[in-house]
Amino acid sequence: MAELSDVFFVDGMRTPFGRAGEKGQYWNTRADDLAVKATIGLMERNPDVPADRIDDVAIAATSQTGDQGLTLGRSVAILAGLPQTVPGFAIDRMCAGAMTSVTTMAGSIGVGMYDVALAGGVEHMGHHPIGGNADPNPRFVAEKMVDPAALNMGVTAERIFDRFPHLTKERSDRFGMLSQQKAQAAYEHGKFQPDLTPVAVKDADGAWGLATEDEGRRPQTTMEDLAALKTPFRPHGRVTAGTSSPLTDGATMSLLAGGGAVKELGLAPKMKLVSFAFAGVQPEIMGIGPIPSTEKALRKAGLSIGDIGLFELNEAFAIQVISLLDHFGIADDDPRVNQWGGAIALGHPLAASGVRLMIQLAAQFAERPDVRYGLTAMCVGLGQGGSVIWENPHYDGKKRK
């Protein structure tokens, strides 16, 4: 008989993130090959997990077409050399794709149906611009279900400013600048590099190279630079390229296991799942989505926001993160929040980003045995939010000086 099980995040790896478009490092690289590289890197780093023990592979993509089509979980599993006995599937929850891959696999592990699973996401925004192959139902507009501008994420970010006037452009600019500075400092201290799997890439002239770092970083950014940027989503608006995540290509992959498999295979998990939740909000102001999803996840866990010692919040837009922090009474520059920077500097390859948050939180947990709980959360297109609360297996209950 299957038994209920704890769920563990054993490990996670990702490709370096590339700037989307013809000048980006992955312009001549297929999306599915990025997911294959992340999968191979993860399996090679975890030799104690026999490949034939993987019960399922869930891989998310927002645009499931072209090199992101063909049931990614299954096709990537085959291309990565996993045994043909390992099944797989594709998943889509826009920006929260990889997060949903993890929570879906976690559910299967939690009820004892799976022992070990892979969960991740990929987005090649250079090959597949957001909404590029979509055909929204005319009823959305005709029946006034959704404002047409709700499909433009930048416009939804501007509306957060409209709703909360005390969240100023200056605060947003400062948050964007600090993200760049924190990401650069983390690079200089070698925080990201252990979890990046290098990718062989070919440039426009056919010359081969190696992608080893996130390409979109701009560490020299100043407040003066940000103040001078155009506001592409609205004349005299407040959202700029400096306070938005850039269009990005990349893939992430995580290894999840139940308590029995952890014991049997002698694994050392990096995090334990506590709770997760998704929530819906008005599509026109989708950036506030993680507020209700976080409240739901905290309720399920029997915790309060004060119990969370580390936050990894996806910086789709600076204003979106600030709105969540403001709601929970947390300062814009609280050291618990995105301590290595975030998507404004590193990039946001839509369906891949959820697992990037988890990889970073797991690495921070290892450094912080004084922190018991952490949160990964993100806003999602069409008015949703997703939140996952994790427990630190290294927690020792001792306060740091």
Side-chain angles (χ1 to χ4, degrees):
M1 285 288 290
E3 292 183 1
L4 295 182
S5 170
D6 285 333
V7 181
F8 295 93
F9 180 99
V10 177
D11 198 8
M13 289 192 81
R14 65 179 179 91
T15 67
F17 287 173
R19 193 176 281 285
E22 290 183 39
K23 294 182 178 163
Q25 58 192 11
Y26 296 136
W27 181 247
N28 293 313
T29 305
R30 288 178 59 95
D32 48 12
D33 283 335
L34 291 175
V36 167
K37 287 300 293 186
T39 305
I40 292 173
L42 183 61
M43 292 303 292
E44 285 180 347
R45 191 158 83 170
N46 291 276
D48 292 339
V49 178
D52 61 0
R53 289 294 302 275
I54 305 287
D55 287 303
D56 212 347
V57 180
I59 300 181
T62 302
S63 299
Q64 298 199 4
T65 184
D67 58 345
Q68 286 182 183
L70 210 61
T71 314
L72 275 167
R74 175 63 171 165
S75 56
V76 166
I78 293 171
L79 290 163
L82 296 178
Q84 295 201 346
T85 50
V86 176
F89 65 105
I91 217 161
D92 171 23
R93 199 199 295 264
M94 285 188 148
C95 312
M99 179 176 277
T100 306
S101 296
V102 168
T103 58
T104 301
M105 294 289 95
S108 297
I109 292 169
V111 296
M113 294 300 129
Y114 291 179
D115 297 319
V116 184
L118 293 176
V122 61
E123 206 76 51
H124 200 307
M125 298 182 77
H127 294 176
H128 307 286
I130 186 169
N133 65 331
D135 177 16
N137 194 301
R139 287 181 53 218
F140 277 131
V141 176
E143 298 179 20
K144 295 191 165 51
M145 293 177 180
V146 174
D147 185 311
L151 297 174
N152 182 319
M153 300 304 148
V155 174
T156 69
E158 287 282 8
R159 285 185 172 156
I160 301 179
F161 281 112
D162 296 343
R163 186 174 287 197
F164 305 109
H166 64 288
L167 305 180
T168 59
K169 180 177 186 295
E170 187 187 352
R171 284 173 68 176
S172 173
D173 284 355
R174 178 163 279 105
F175 190 91
M177 177 185 73
L178 290 175
S179 178
Q180 297 284 2
Q181 292 175 356
K182 289 191 285 187
Q184 185 61 25
Y187 255 99
E188 288 168 4
H189 288 95
K191 303 297 189 187
F192 296 118
Q193 292 89 330
D195 298 316
L196 298 179
T197 183
V199 180
V201 291
K202 191 157 62 167
D203 70 15
D205 304 322
W208 285 92
L210 203 58
T212 59
E213 290 195 353
D214 299 311
E215 194 180 23
R217 307 189 327 274
R218 297 180 175 217
Q220 283 78 38
T221 301
T222 65
M223 289 293 282
E224 290 71 35
D225 296 336
L226 293 172
L229 290 174
K230 293 193 177 96
T231 58
F233 305 110
R234 183 188 286 183
H236 313 294
R238 289 147 296 191
V239 179
T240 68
T243 54
S244 311
S245 53
L247 302 179
T248 310
D249 308 330
T252 59
M253 191 60 60
S254 67
L255 175 65
L256 308 172
V262 164
K263 202 173 276 181
E264 179 199 340
L265 299 171
L267 307 178
K270 296 184 171 181
M271 303 194 290
K272 178 181 167 185
L273 185 93
V274 178
S275 69
F276 66 85
F278 295 92
V281 295
Q282 271 181 300
E284 290 80 1
I285 190 161
M286 65 98 200
I288 62 170
I291 294 173
S293 65
T294 297
E295 289 175 332
K296 237 171 151 174
L298 287 166
R299 210 160 46 242
K300 292 275 182 198
L303 298 172
S304 74
I305 199 73
D307 294 312
I308 304 298
L310 287 167
F311 294 79
E312 276 297 323
L313 308 174
N314 191 45
E315 299 170 356
F317 300 93
I319 184 60
Q320 179 269 313
V321 179
I322 291 172
S323 70
L324 180 142
L325 297 176
D326 184 73
H327 175 85
F328 286 111
I330 297 167
D332 295 358
D333 58 355
D334 190 298
R336 295 172 296 172
V337 178
N338 294 9
Q339 56 181 27
W340 298 345
I344 289 170
L346 303 170
H348 172 29
L350 308 175
S353 285
V355 167
R356 177 190 67 77
L357 302 175
M358 295 169 196
I359 290 168
Q360 284 179 216
L361 180 62
Q364 291 163 20
F365 269 171
E367 295 183 352
R368 296 288 304 275
D370 60 309
V371 170
R372 186 168 183 187
Y373 298 109
L375 171 74
T376 52
M378 60 204 312
C379 61
V380 189
L382 285 183
Q384 302 183 78
S387 303
V388 189
I389 295 173
W390 301 92
E391 186 172 8
N392 185 358
H394 312 287
Y395 177 66
D396 61 12
K398 292 176 187 160
K399 287 262 187 289
R400 272 172 113 196
K401 285 182 181 154

